Amino acid sequence: QVQQSAKDRLSEYLPMAMENKNRLSRLNDMRDAAGGLTGIPESDGSAHTAGNSHKMEAAVERYIEYEKKILPLLKANSDKMKELERMVDAIPDGLQREVLRLRYMDAECEDTCRPKKWNAVALTLYGNDDRKYVEAVLRIHKKAILTLESTENVPQMSINEYK
């Protein structure tokens, strides 16, 4: 089994968060298309009721099938994300924890899975993104990764566990 580095494992956080967000959004859209899953309307005698009823039944079935399909994936992603959060929380140094959280767990913006840029991390921590502050953040990041990789209780997850 090939082991991932701490940095590689942390880099999986935002894509998993985005996947969960997108799949839940799709599930909500499907629920809305199925009439909010309030039930199939009874016939009111109109000519289109039977067709609408079948469409709604199909929408409900698609919703249920999709929900069954994604719930295990959502839980697996959520569990891995919590494990990564615990991994970062276990670092004794607060500044190291914050650099890792800002870089790997706070997206650049809400609709992306890109990590926060180094200058944005420096700006958040120091209120300044001059080169010396970015370099300070990079040094802290390096120490944090070394701390993670030397910590006994850090779970070593194989790449296969992420696929």
Side-chain angles (χ1 to χ4, degrees):
Q1 285 184 347
V2 177
Q3 297 295 321
Q4 286 183 300
S5 70
K7 184 178 170 182
D8 289 341
R9 291 194 310 271
L10 287 167
S11 295
E12 294 289 330
Y13 187 92
L14 289 173
M16 286 187 289
M18 178 164 266
E19 180 179 31
N20 280 8
K21 178 184 167 191
N22 290 341
R23 288 188 182 257
L24 284 170
S25 176
R26 179 168 182 221
L27 190 65
N28 287 334
D29 291 346
M30 292 174 85
R31 184 187 61 227
D32 293 346
L37 296 181
T38 57
I40 307 298
E42 293 184 23
S43 174
D44 63 1
S46 70
H48 299 289
T49 303
N52 288 341
S53 176
H54 292 300
K55 285 180 184 176
M56 188 171 288
E57 285 176 19
V60 169
E61 286 176 22
R62 281 192 303 274
Y63 171 87
I64 291 170
E65 286 175 28
Y66 187 68
E67 184 181 46
K68 283 181 191 175
K69 175 184 167 184
I70 68 163
L71 284 180
L73 174 71
L74 295 175
K75 180 172 180 358
N77 281 352
S78 181
D79 290 348
K80 289 173 191 168
M81 290 166 62
K82 286 176 188 167
E83 191 168 351
L84 291 169
E85 290 165 6
R86 283 191 298 270
M87 187 172 90
V88 170
D89 289 343
I91 296 173
D93 184 274
L95 200 51
Q96 289 179 15
R97 284 192 308 269
E98 194 60 14
V99 166
L100 293 181
R101 269 193 216 101
L102 288 169
R103 174 71 176 167
Y104 297 105
M105 296 175 176
D106 290 351
E108 191 175 288
C109 67
E110 192 175 314
D111 293 327
T112 183
C113 60
R114 290 187 182 131
K116 201 170 261 194
K117 290 186 165 100
W118 293 115
N119 62 337
V121 174
L123 194 59
T124 300
L125 288 179
Y126 299 112
N128 195 320
D129 63 354
D130 286 349
R131 184 179 175 158
K132 69 179 184 178
Y133 296 107
V134 172
E135 289 173 355
V137 164
L138 291 170
R139 282 191 302 277
I140 295 165
H141 176 265
K142 185 176 181 178
K143 287 179 187 176
I145 294 297
L146 290 172
T147 300
L148 283 179
E149 292 181 346
S150 66
T151 304
E152 292 276 332
N153 65 353
V154 173
Q156 292 297 314
M157 296 177 270
S158 70
I159 290 174
N160 294 334
E161 291 180 56
Y162 278 98
K163 300 289 179 199

